[in-house]
Amino acid sequence: MLDGASENATRPSAGSAGYAAAFGSVMALGLPLNAVSLWILLTRKSLKSRSVVFMVNLAVSDLMLVVALSPRVYFYAAGAWPLGDTACIWFMMLFRNNIRSSSIFITFISADRLMAVVYPLRSRHLRTASNAWKAVALVWVFVLAVNIPESVELSRFLQNSSESSCFEYLKDPPSLMRYVQPVLVLAMLAVNVASTALVSRALRTRPDDSARVKNKVNVMLIFAMNLAMFVVFFVPVSTFVFFQSEGASRTPLICLASVNCCVDPLLYYFSFDGFWKRKEDVDNSGTRES
C-alpha cells in the first residue's frame, strides 16, 4: 500500500529530476495557454457554434490535465508520495481522462468540419449547438463511467502490491478495462483519417465545395494537426502503457502525451480566421467556421 512516510516506499527512477522539470515545463506553458484560450472562447466566440462547444470542453479537459501534473512534479522532485492511494488514483484518472476526452473532442471537431464541407445540406439538422452540448455531455458521462471500475481495480492492485509507488507502479491490474483506452484512441484515429481523406478529396474534386470554404489551407492544417495529435501524443502512450507491463519505460511516453495540452491552443487559433476578434454571429451553414 502506498505510504509516503514509509522508509520502504519505492523511490522514482534516476531520471526523476528530468521528469519533474519536464512536467513542470508543460504546466508552466499549458496553464496560461489554455486559460487564455478558454477565456477567449467563452467571451469572444459564440457558444451557438458547434466547434466552439467542442473547443471549450477540450480546453477544460486540458486544464484538468495541468492540475493532474502538479502532483507528478512534486513526486519526481521529492521522491516520495505523501497523499496515499486514493489521491494517487484520482490524479491518474485525470491524466487518462484527458487522453480519452481530448481524443473524442478532437474527433468531433474533425467530424463537424467533414459535414460542413462534404455534406453541408444533409447535415444541417445535425450540426446544431444543442446536439453538440448533448454529445459532450455523453462524453463526460462515458469518461466518468469508465473511471468507476478502473479506479476500483487499481485501488485493489495498489493495496496488494508491496513494490508500488504512485506514478511508478510496475504494471496495470490484469483486466478488460486496460483495453478501453487503446481501443478508443485507435477508433478515433480511424475516424480522423477517414475525415481527412474525404475532406481533402472534396476540396480537390468538387469545385462547389472548394469555393464555399474561405481558407482551405487552414481547413487542411486543422486536419493535419488532429492527426499529428493522435500519432505523436495519444497512440504511443495508449498502446504501450496498456499492452506493456514495465512501469519505468512508460514515464517518457506519459511525459510526451502531456504536451498535447500545449498544442491544442494552436487548433483554436487556426480554426477561426479572427481568433482574437470579438464575438460574431455564426452562420448556421458552418462555412465560416470551416
Side-chain angles (χ1 to χ4, degrees):
M1 185 172 180
L2 298 178
D3 184 357
S6 174
E7 294 181 357
N8 296 322
T10 303
R11 301 182 72 83
S13 60
S16 59
Y19 292 138
F23 285 122
S25 298
V26 173
M27 281 185 58
L29 187 60
L31 179 60
L33 283 177
N34 285 282
V36 171
S37 296
L38 183 60
W39 176 77
I40 292 174
L41 289 169
L42 290 175
T43 60
R44 302 197 172 201
K45 301 299 172 183
S46 173
L47 289 178
K48 294 180 181 179
S49 161
R50 288 84 50 200
S51 292
V52 171
V53 171
F54 299 141
M55 291 176 188
V56 164
N57 282 271
L58 182 57
V60 170
S61 176
D62 287 339
L63 286 173
M64 292 170 63
L65 172 62
V66 171
V67 171
L69 293 181
S70 55
R72 287 182 184 267
V73 174
Y74 175 84
F75 173 75
Y76 287 111
W81 179 252
L83 302 180
D85 290 355
T86 302
C88 176
I89 293 171
W90 271 91
F91 287 115
M92 288 172 60
M93 289 301 104
L94 281 177
F95 176 83
R96 294 185 181 185
N97 287 349
N98 171 259
I99 295 181
R100 294 162 184 170
S101 59
S102 293
S103 65
I104 299 176
F105 292 142
I106 288 174
T107 303
F108 282 170
I109 293 171
S110 293
D112 182 67
R113 292 293 189 276
L114 167 67
M115 290 187 288
V117 174
V118 183
Y119 310 107
L121 298 179
R122 281 182 287 177
S123 65
R124 185 186 293 268
H125 68 287
L126 294 174
R127 298 173 55 247
T128 64
S130 61
N131 284 341
W133 282 112
K134 292 175 184 177
V136 298
L138 288 175
V139 171
W140 289 117
V141 170
F142 164 75
V143 167
L144 293 176
V146 171
N147 284 172
I148 297 174
E150 194 171 40
S151 298
V152 171
E153 291 173 355
L154 191 55
S155 176
R156 291 173 179 172
F157 172 79
L158 291 175
Q159 290 176 359
N160 296 328
S161 175
S162 60
E163 298 181 354
S164 62
S165 182
C166 190
F167 308 130
E168 289 288 341
Y169 56 93
L170 296 181
K171 60 182 179 179
D172 283 296
S175 168
L176 289 176
M177 293 305 300
R178 68 187 297 183
Y179 300 106
V180 170
Q181 185 161 313
V183 170
L184 173 66
V185 169
L186 291 175
M188 295 298 102
L189 173 61
V191 174
N192 277 271
V193 170
S195 299
T196 303
L198 289 171
V199 170
S200 177
R201 179 182 177 185
L203 293 179
R204 285 186 291 104
T205 62
R206 294 162 61 175
D208 292 341
D209 292 334
S210 181
R212 279 192 312 104
V213 180
K214 291 184 177 181
N215 196 329
K216 293 183 281 294
V217 174
N218 273 15
V219 170
M220 293 312 303
L221 182 60
I222 291 169
F223 280 100
M225 288 177 59
N226 289 349
L227 289 177
M229 293 283 287
F230 277 87
V231 173
V232 177
F233 302 124
F234 298 155
V235 172
V237 70
S238 297
T239 54
F240 183 87
V241 168
F242 287 86
F243 288 111
Q244 299 292 328
S245 61
E246 292 299 326
S249 301
R250 71 181 66 187
T251 308
L253 290 178
I254 292 175
C255 187
L256 176 64
S258 68
V259 179
N260 85 85
C261 70
C262 301
V263 179
D264 283 334
L266 290 176
L267 177 63
Y268 314 145
Y269 179 82
F270 288 111
S271 294
F272 302 98
D273 290 335
F275 183 65
W276 300 98
K277 292 181 181 179
R278 291 194 173 276
K279 188 184 302 183
E280 298 176 352
D281 293 331
V282 178
D283 182 1
N284 287 331
S285 67
T287 58
R288 198 176 207 169
E289 296 172 18
S290 299

